[in-house]
Amino acid sequence: MVCKRCGAKLYECKTNSIDRTLALSLAGLILALPAMSLPIIGVGAVGLLNYSSLLECIHQLINNGYQGIALCIFLFTIAIPVVRLFAATYITWSIKFNRVTPALLNFFRSYHQLDSWTMLHVFLLGIVVSMYKLVDLAELHVGVGFIAFVSLLICSTTISVTLDHHLIWDRLEQSLDE
């Protein structure tokens, strides 16, 4: 996009934004289930080894009376990221296959609100700090869920980079003007 008055470049469209974002959001949706249900970390001490997944952690928090913390972890590491991935998939799918409706405009506005509420990186930081603190006290094992979780985080973060908001707004305006 070039300024009509001075000719300066205001922004440049991202290369293949819709296809990349669609692929990343689908990959993120595929990774979400193993990231949340497979063991993230295993802790061993005195000959006993205990693996735990994200869903098991939430379950344990609820059982131990920490419902507020369990709710926050569920919302910010499961619910909002998955809804955000579904939203990115729906938006890019609709634009790619010319299925744009007036409701998609409001849907895209809502998508912007979800962007700032995804806290996967904060949870990963908590895992890494916990591992650092426990490494001297117990035997640690990284589970397959940890790899899936990191991959999910990479997909989610990369969606923020590849999604071209200007292109989507332009496509939405064009289809609504027709």
Side-chain angles (χ1 to χ4, degrees):
M1 172 67 85
V2 177
C3 178
K4 294 177 183 179
R5 180 175 274 181
C6 68
K9 185 179 359 176
L10 299 174
Y11 69 89
E12 187 174 347
C13 288
K14 297 176 182 177
T15 307
N16 209 6
S17 169
I18 301 299
D19 291 333
R20 288 181 183 187
T21 305
L22 180 60
L24 286 165
S25 61
L26 289 172
L29 287 172
I30 292 168
L31 287 167
L33 185 62
M36 293 163 197
S37 61
L38 293 177
I40 291 177
I41 189 172
V43 178
V46 195
L48 298 174
L49 182 63
N50 186 18
Y51 280 97
S52 189
S53 70
L54 180 57
L55 293 173
E56 290 169 351
C57 290
I58 292 171
H59 187 300
Q60 285 297 324
L61 286 169
I62 291 170
N63 288 343
N64 292 326
Y66 297 105
Q67 289 84 5
I69 295 171
L71 177 66
C72 288
I73 290 175
F74 173 76
L75 286 175
F76 299 126
T77 61
I78 295 177
I80 293 173
V82 169
V83 168
R84 185 175 169 269
L85 288 169
F86 271 118
T89 303
Y90 177 69
I91 291 165
T92 53
W93 184 276
S94 297
I95 289 178
K96 181 174 177 66
F97 296 106
N98 295 321
R99 305 259 190 244
V100 178
T101 62
L104 191 62
L105 185 66
N106 292 330
F107 194 76
F108 190 56
R109 285 185 187 127
S110 300
Y111 174 82
H112 285 290
Q113 299 300 319
L114 291 177
D115 244 359
S116 58
W117 288 99
T118 301
M119 300 291 169
L120 293 173
H121 55 285
V122 174
F123 189 75
L124 178 66
L125 183 62
I127 293 171
V128 172
V129 168
S130 298
M131 291 170 74
Y132 177 74
K133 293 287 188 178
L134 289 172
V135 75
D136 291 335
L137 302 173
E139 184 180 329
L140 295 179
H141 299 275
V142 175
V144 178
F146 183 76
I147 297 165
F149 188 83
V150 170
S151 301
L152 173 63
L153 175 63
I154 291 169
C155 285
S156 180
T157 303
T158 310
I159 286 171
S160 299
V161 173
T162 61
L163 187 63
D164 190 345
H165 298 275
H166 294 291
L167 176 66
I168 291 176
W169 285 123
D170 289 345
R171 296 260 180 102
L172 288 172
E173 287 177 3
Q174 287 172 0
S175 57
L176 294 177
D177 290 340
E178 293 174 354

